Structures are given as structure tokens and as C-alpha cells.
Amino acid sequence: MTDSKTYDVVVLGAGPVGENVADRARAGGLSVAIVESELVGGECSYWACMPSKALLRPVIARADARKVPGLRQSVQGPLDAAAVLAHRDDYTSHWKDDGQVGWLESIGVELFRGHGRIAGTRQVTVTGSDGSEQTLTARHAVAVCTGTRAALPDLPGLADIKPWTSREATSADRVPGRLAVVGGGVVAVEMATAWQALGSRVTVLVRGDGLLPRMEPFAGELVAKALTEAGAEVRTGVSVTAVRRDNGTITATLGDGGSIEADEILFATGRAPRTDDLGLETIGMDPGSWMPVDESLRVQGSSWLYAVGDANHRALLTHQGKYQARVAGAAITARAQGVPLLETDPWGAHSATADRAAVPQVVFTDPEAASAGLTLAEAEAAGHRVRAVDYDMAGVAGAGLYADGYEGRARMIVDLDREVLLGVTFVGPGVGELIHSATVAIAGEVPIDRLWHAVPAYPTVSEVWLRLLETYRG
């Protein structure tokens, strides 16, 4: 017999995005059920943001310390890999979700463990690990917050060698002697940075021309330079055509006819939506597809279905997914309350405008790379009349105090017609903490003339803002 329960909102996926949709809906007085087949807290808590940054923090701290007079001699030895991995384990709560389950209970959200599938309009079937089934009916909305999984290429031998994906790279309990990293994006460069510092001999294999292709070109160039100086090998313009494992050693055959050997190989080659077994066919959608949405995160053509976070392919970042969740939660609540007209204009309460105009991102490599808004290429492709303003961050007094031999670069993209910023990129030690100021300037559409009055404290790295504005003004 199938049990049946009714709620105002049913959320599929209890990662950070699903948790935030549930929280906002509950804050609006709606009843909420949430369905999760793995750990409450999702990919970010256990296999992405938290473990990767826990691995990287000691790496970056040591790199910074080695550039400080009076300290560098004290930090020349290797990292304590066991201590770093233990620190990582603490930040994943040892892959247990008791704390996050407790939080859901504290806000009055009912958790259903199992695999959820849409079974028709406002209907979700949950199949438990014991085969039991429950039907959940949503009075107002079903929110798909199931995220993404690693996308693996169709390569001969790949299934047999058990390659690393982002999950294995962030949860491994030992340091491989040799690690091959396939890809040049964020996961690839962050994990190359971490495991090289922990003692692996890392080779990065990039099919394209450089690293971090979605950022300004100089970001990838500076990160590649630092990886090479740290002992990693970065090879561009190469592709992997086949892999095999013999007696523990992996051999990757390359497109140029060569090959490399490694103890583990990480494929960081993109993400795919977790929508393949979600029941999309019952509502006229293709299983495994991205789910297009409007600005309120409601699936196009639907009055009740929302896709929030990675599943909609707008901005595959945890913080953007949580932002979308806040917008979607507000929209679901407003519609449930019968609000006749939602605020879906740009920057309205029910519009995820920042996904298109002011997305921030930090890549936690050495040096860090941080960006918000559009790159020069993106701004030009969108038809804006723009000017790129560059500045060598070594010329800022605070940067010199931060580290001997500070190396970095800053760029801001100015919309010449409106005299506001469309994008900012910083690359250099410690720049991750600078990027929110850029996000505020872009999202707030702060005029250049007003930014001139935002005085940076001296001597901080933030003084790069003054130097950029001076360069723009001439």
C-alpha cells in the first residue's frame, strides 16, 4: 500500500539549495516536505565546497607565509597530509548528516529519505531503500533542487579504471604518488593545487589553450604559472583518447600519440543535471535535460514546477543556487498567498537578476582568482560599448605588505554609455575577500563618479580600487 501525504510545497533534493527553498517557504507560513536520497546537505557539504576548501586552506596559508619575511624559514617543510585530511573530515562531519537533519526538524520541515520522482501534476512518489513507496502531493509547488553530477567522457576503458571525479578528489583518504588531472576549469585547478601541495606529482591535461577559460585570460595564465612553479606540469592542447589500468598504474593515451602514467586520474570535464530519473517524462519533459526557467525560477510552461540551482543551468555555483532559492521561496509564497502581480522586473524581489548580471566566483588556487559580473569578451559579445581597465596589483602598497614579490592583476569592465561597472576580476594572493565589493558595485549599478568617493583604507590591498579608478580617469 502506498501512503499519501499533502503539503504546500514539496522539495526534491536537500542540498543547500533545497534547504533554502524549504526555509523560505516555511518562513512564509507554508508546510514543506523535502526528499533526499543521499546526505542532507548535498554535494557542497560533503564532496565539493566544504571539503575542497578545507584541503586548500593549509596550502594557501603556507604559500602566503612563505612570502613573509621572518616567517618563510619556519614553513619550508612539507604539509602534514594526515592532519590536512583529518581537518577535511571534520568539515564534512565525517560524511554524517545528523546536524543538518536536526536543522530541518528545527524549522518544521518533514524529511523523506528515498528517491523522489515526479508522478504527474504536483505529485511526487518517494521510494525508500526498503522498496516502500509514499506519494506526496503539493498544493502549490514542487521544487527540483537535485543539482548536478560529474560528466564523464565516453572513453575506451574509462569504466574499468574507476577514475576520480570531484567526489573522489575531495574525499580521498590517501595522497597518490602521481595524479593526472583532465580538464582546465575550477575543479581541475583547485584539486591540482591541493594534491600537488600534499605531495602528489601532478600533470594537468587541458584540451583547450589554457586554464579557467570562463574567466579573463590572465587568470588562467597566472594560475598555470604558479602551478608550474610549484612542480606541477600543465599541458595544453592535449586530449585523452583512451585509458587503462595495469597492476595499479593508469596509462592515459593522448591525442598526439603519446601517453602518461599515473596512480590516479581525475576527470574534471564538466557537470550534468541530475534529472535523468526524476519522472520528467510524466510532464512532457525530456529525462536528463536541463530545466529552463523564468526569472522567478518557475519552469517555463508550468504553473507549479520550479527548478532551482544547478538543474536550471543558469549559474552552477552553490551561492547562486542559494540566492535562487531565496527568490524562488519568495515567489512560491507570494503565489500561494494570491499576490496578483509578482516583482519580476530586474532586481525585483521575485527575479534572479544577479544570475545574469552579477555572479561572483572565487577560485581558491595560489594565487586566488576572483571575478564578478562579465568578462571583457562577454560584455562585448552582449553588445555593450565597454572599456577594460587593467592594473598591476603589485603596485598597491597593501599588496607589497601582504607578501614579498606579490604578483597579481586587476581588471574592471566599464559600460561607457552608463558609466557603471559590468565586471571585475582580481588575481593574486588574498583577493577572494575583495570580490564582494565588486559584486556590490555591479549589482548596485554604482556610478563611477560615486565610486570615486568610496575611499579605500590605506594600506590595504583594497586600494587597488582607487588605482583602477585613477587609471580610468587618466
Side-chain angles (χ1 to χ4, degrees):
M1 181 179 292
T2 301
D3 293 333
S4 180
K5 294 186 177 182
T6 300
Y7 300 84
D8 290 324
V9 181
V10 177
V11 179
L12 293 176
V17 177
E19 289 175 322
N20 275 268
V21 171
D23 182 45
R24 290 297 84 209
R26 283 294 298 135
L30 304 180
S31 60
V32 181
I34 196 166
V35 183
E36 179 54 58
S37 61
E38 294 188 295
L39 295 175
V40 174
E43 200 80 10
C44 176
S45 297
Y46 306 104
W47 300 286
C49 318
M50 298 307 289
S52 66
K53 302 320 169 276
L55 289 173
L56 285 159
R57 179 58 194 144
V59 176
I60 304 307
R62 183 182 66 166
D64 284 350
R66 285 178 168 177
K67 297 167 188 168
V68 178
L71 184 57
R72 63 169 58 96
Q73 295 306 318
S74 301
V75 289
Q76 289 304 313
L79 290 169
D80 183 339
V84 173
L85 296 180
H87 173 67
R88 181 272 319 272
D89 294 350
D90 287 343
Y91 267 85
T92 60
S93 301
H94 298 267
W95 291 275
K96 296 178 181 178
D97 63 2
D98 300 17
Q100 302 214 41
V101 170
W103 178 79
L104 285 177
E105 292 172 349
S106 75
I107 63 170
V109 171
E110 189 164 353
L111 171 64
F112 289 84
R113 297 274 194 182
H115 180 66
R117 297 185 87 253
I118 296 169
T121 302
R122 296 187 180 86
Q123 299 286 317
V124 171
T125 299
V126 182
T127 305
S129 58
D130 60 357
S132 62
E133 287 192 353
Q134 290 182 299
T135 297
L136 308 180
T137 300
R139 295 186 187 93
H140 299 292
V142 173
V144 175
C145 309
T146 49
T148 56
R149 61 166 59 88
L152 291 172
D154 184 15
L155 284 181
L158 188 60
D160 299 328
I161 69 165
K162 297 181 179 179
W164 278 12
T165 66
S166 54
R167 284 198 169 194
E168 290 76 21
T170 55
S171 64
D173 59 5
R174 62 178 183 83
V175 179
R178 299 165 297 175
L179 174 65
V181 178
V182 183
V186 176
V187 171
V189 297
E190 287 192 344
M191 290 299 93
T193 298
W195 290 106
Q196 174 69 34
L198 287 168
S200 292
R201 191 163 74 251
V202 171
T203 303
V204 183
L205 304 171
V206 188
R207 184 170 56 185
D209 296 332
L211 303 180
L212 300 175
R214 298 190 179 212
M215 300 185 84
E216 298 286 7
F218 62 82
E221 292 165 5
L222 287 170
V223 170
K225 179 176 181 288
L227 276 171
T228 301
E229 290 174 348
E233 182 181 2
V234 179
R235 300 176 61 178
T236 59
V238 296
S239 58
V240 177
T241 58
V243 289
R244 70 177 189 275
R245 189 189 290 268
D246 298 308
N247 298 319
T249 297
I250 293 171
T251 301
T253 303
L254 307 180
D256 60 7
S259 65
I260 67 162
E261 293 185 345
D263 298 296
E264 299 292 350
I265 186 167
L266 163 63
F267 279 85
T269 49
R271 308 291 296 178
R274 291 178 179 270
T275 60
D276 50 315
D277 190 18
L278 203 60
L280 295 187
E281 67 279 2
T282 68
I283 54 172
M285 297 183 69
D286 294 329
S289 64
W290 302 102
M291 302 177 70
V293 296
D294 63 19
E295 288 301 292
S296 70
L297 292 312
R298 188 167 59 177
V299 173
Q300 291 176 4
S302 174
S303 63
W304 58 273
L305 183 62
Y306 292 73
V308 192
D310 286 7
N312 61 41
H313 207 229
R314 286 170 64 103
L316 306 188
L317 294 160
T318 296
H319 47 272
Q320 289 303 124
K322 291 165 71 174
Y323 160 73
Q324 290 178 19
R326 296 189 291 272
V327 172
I332 290 168
T333 300
R335 288 181 173 126
Q337 294 172 345
V339 174
L341 188 63
L342 270 60
E343 299 175 37
T344 55
D345 289 339
W347 307 113
H350 310 114
S351 178
T353 310
D355 283 345
R356 306 190 190 283
V359 174
Q361 181 173 20
V362 178
V363 185
F364 292 84
T365 45
D366 173 33
E368 290 178 347
S371 66
L374 305 180
T375 64
L376 174 60
E378 289 169 340
E380 289 177 337
H384 297 289
R385 193 172 68 91
V386 296
R387 175 183 165 193
V389 181
D390 292 332
Y391 194 80
D392 181 352
M393 293 188 65
V396 178
L401 290 167
Y402 188 98
D404 273 3
Y406 191 106
E407 189 172 2
R409 187 171 169 186
R411 168 174 287 181
M412 69 179 188
I413 308 301
V414 181
D415 182 329
L416 296 175
D417 294 319
R418 294 188 298 144
E419 288 274 299
V420 297
L421 300 185
L422 296 177
V424 178
T425 299
F426 300 120
V427 182
V431 298
E433 297 300 334
L434 291 181
I435 204 60
H436 190 61
S437 57
T439 308
V440 171
I442 296 165
E445 298 180 335
V446 182
I448 291 287
D449 284 348
R450 180 58 61 88
L451 282 176
W452 185 252
H453 295 281
V455 182
Y458 181 85
T460 65
V461 183
S462 292
E463 200 180 14
V464 68
W465 278 107
L466 174 58
R467 302 303 172 218
L468 285 166
L469 293 169
E470 287 175 334
T471 302
Y472 176 68
R473 286 192 161 197

